[in-house]
Structures are given as structure tokens and as C-alpha cells.
Amino acid sequence: MYFLRQGSISDKDFIFKLSLTVKELKESRNSLKILEYIKEGDNDERQWLLKEVEEIIAIASKMISNKKK
């Protein structure tokens, strides 16, 4: 059925889009590290955000790895 495939993407497109996401997440991680270095903002919030970004990078990277198999 056509309507079921309308929003789907190929594995190659999925990997490409997720790779871009990982790249953006790594840029965010670098920004958070800069904020950490200059001690800008709330320390607890910076640490929490950095932990969340690291976890999302790990999840997205694993998804890419699994899709390539």
C-alpha cells in the first residue's frame, strides 16, 4: 500500500540523517564544555545537559552501527 511507505526513508538516508544528528550533538557537547570552562550558568544544569548529550550520542551512534550491520 502506497500510504504506508509515504513517510519511510531508506537505510542509507536514515544513517545519513542520524550521522548529521550525531555531528550536531557533538557540537552541542563542545559548547557545553566551553560553558563549563568559563563557569557560565548553573553547574548542576551544565553537568546534567552534558550527561544527557553524551547518552544521546551513544544511543544514536549505536543505532547507526546496528543499521550498518
Side-chain angles (χ1 to χ4, degrees):
M1 294 183 174
Y2 174 72
F3 69 91
L4 293 176
R5 295 273 308 158
Q6 206 170 13
S8 63
I9 59 173
S10 69
D11 285 352
K12 185 178 177 181
D13 286 340
F14 178 80
I15 291 168
F16 174 74
K17 290 177 181 180
L18 206 52
S19 296
L20 287 177
T21 301
V22 169
K23 183 178 177 182
E24 293 295 327
L25 286 165
K26 287 180 178 181
E27 287 182 25
S28 295
R29 177 179 61 190
N30 288 338
S31 296
L32 287 166
K33 287 181 178 183
I34 291 169
L35 290 174
E36 175 68 24
Y37 180 76
I38 64 172
K39 305 294 185 206
E40 184 64 34
D42 181 62
N43 183 51
D44 291 337
E45 190 169 342
R46 280 194 318 265
Q47 294 303 315
W48 178 79
L49 288 170
L50 190 56
K51 181 181 174 205
E52 291 295 313
V53 166
E54 293 290 353
E55 289 176 4
I56 297 169
I57 289 171
I59 291 166
S61 297
K62 186 65 173 176
M63 289 171 70
I64 292 169
S65 173
N66 287 343
K67 198 57 116 167
K68 286 183 176 181
K69 289 182 182 180

